[in-house]
Amino acid sequence: MKLSQLQMLVAVADHGSFSAAAAELDCTQSRISHAIAELERELGTRLLARSHGGSLPTEAGLRVLDKARQMLRLEDSLRACARTDDAIEGRVRVACFRSIGTHLLPYAAEALAARHPGLVLDIDDACNDRLEVIDALRAGRADVGIAQLPVEDGFIVHPYVADDYMLVVPAARRFDAPVTWDQLDGLPFIRLGCSGADAILARCRAAGLVASAERTLSNDTSIAAMVARGMGWSILPRLATFPEGDEVQVLPLPIPARRQFALAGPRTAMASRAVKAVLGVLRDRRLLAATRAGQAGILYWP
């Protein structure tokens, strides 16, 4: 068994096809196919289910992928330990939404500790609005912000992941697909009070939504809890409701609406070796794909 075989398996699983994995790894499809076939023979089981539409992991493949990602992270850690003359130390402060702090940054902090043991990630996930992320950067309380676009001029901005805005409704209520605004009649609307959600709400109103908000809350967790009690419905980002409980169902909006994140920071901070190391981890697609949110397919690259 070779680490290169595991790397190829992970690339195919992350990208969904041998051709995309070959482009990512800069090698031929036949090389990847041969390597994975050898791995399957050694393990004595089929790891990928191949079809004209792409390749998906089998049940055994999912179990192997989990261990393969751990082994590849360990490889990164070993290489980092060998580069003692290139050690990066210090603290990098990141401001973000709670959903990012919950579903993405724990994985990034773990990977960062393995690659750069002397570098610490300080996470402020108390921001409920994209403007609060920008305020933290402007006031010098954060070196990097994971902010919802648009971000004002004056910062270095790198597009990051995205998720969709969704209808969040009580699980006990039945809806016909596709859901239309009139199917929500009689159920109170609970509004998420933040600038990003307001922009989406304005688009929904232009598309025919007429319901007025009976409540406005700034915390998406509180809104989801109210919806679970049958007290109304809301429009929330998918990452903010993941994973939804048994008393809540998450459905597509009648119109497509996506929330795009960006990694933003002042030019001086973004130029530092410590921040560059953090950005390298945050933008690692292999790492993001290994998160629960990544495995659930609710995150998108720009």
Side-chain angles (χ1 to χ4, degrees), residues 1-256:
M1 188 184 303
K2 301 175 182 177
L3 285 174
S4 60
Q5 293 171 324
L6 301 180
Q7 184 183 32
M8 292 177 186
L9 175 66
V10 168
V12 173
D14 288 351
H15 294 282
S17 71
F18 280 70
S19 59
E24 172 72 17
L25 298 176
D26 193 24
C27 65
T28 64
Q29 293 186 49
S30 60
R31 181 183 173 191
I32 293 180
S33 181
H34 179 72
I36 292 179
E38 283 189 339
L39 185 60
E40 290 177 329
R41 281 195 296 271
E42 179 159 350
L43 295 176
T45 187
R46 179 64 63 86
L47 301 176
L48 295 172
R50 302 164 176 83
S51 69
H52 292 299
S55 297
L56 294 174
T58 62
E59 288 297 323
L62 289 172
R63 294 192 296 271
V64 170
L65 277 164
D66 182 55
K67 297 298 181 183
R69 296 185 198 279
Q70 293 180 33
M71 294 173 72
L72 292 172
R73 288 198 294 271
L74 180 59
E75 180 196 17
D76 289 341
S77 176
L78 288 172
R79 293 184 183 279
C81 289
R83 296 191 295 267
T84 55
D85 58 334
D86 196 33
I88 301 176
E89 298 181 346
R91 309 183 81 89
V92 172
R93 302 162 299 166
V94 176
C96 63
F97 292 164
R98 177 198 59 82
S99 55
I100 291 288
T102 299
H103 298 299
L104 299 185
L105 291 189
Y107 297 85
E110 179 187 25
L112 190 68
R115 299 181 192 181
H116 305 284
L119 187 55
V120 177
L121 195 64
D122 286 336
I123 301 170
D124 174 10
D125 63 351
C127 301
N128 290 318
D129 191 292
R130 66 180 181 83
L131 299 179
E132 293 181 17
V133 178
I134 301 305
D135 286 344
L137 292 173
R138 192 186 299 112
R141 298 192 305 271
D143 305 300
V144 178
I146 304 179
Q148 184 177 351
L149 291 177
V151 174
E152 66 183 50
D153 293 340
F155 296 102
I156 301 296
V157 176
H158 300 292
Y160 195 38
V161 295
D163 65 345
D164 289 327
Y165 279 90
M166 309 290 288
L167 286 175
V168 183
V169 297
R173 182 140 174 171
R174 293 290 171 260
F175 294 88
D176 297 325
V179 179
T180 54
W181 300 122
D182 61 293
Q183 294 184 55
L184 299 164
D185 291 346
L187 194 62
F189 172 44
I190 306 173
R191 170 178 162 264
L192 174 61
C194 70
S195 57
D198 285 345
I200 299 302
L201 180 58
R203 289 181 51 196
C204 291
R205 294 205 182 285
L209 174 64
V210 297
S212 299
E214 294 201 10
R215 286 187 175 90
T216 297
L217 286 82
S218 61
N219 190 299
D220 45 48
T221 303
S222 299
I223 293 177
M226 286 189 171
V227 173
R229 301 299 298 168
M231 298 172 65
W233 67 276
S234 189
I235 299 172
L236 296 176
R238 182 66 183 89
L239 197 61
T241 62
F242 177 78
E244 65 268 19
D246 294 337
E247 297 175 318
V248 168
Q249 56 179 322
V250 176
L251 304 172
L253 282 171
I255 61 170

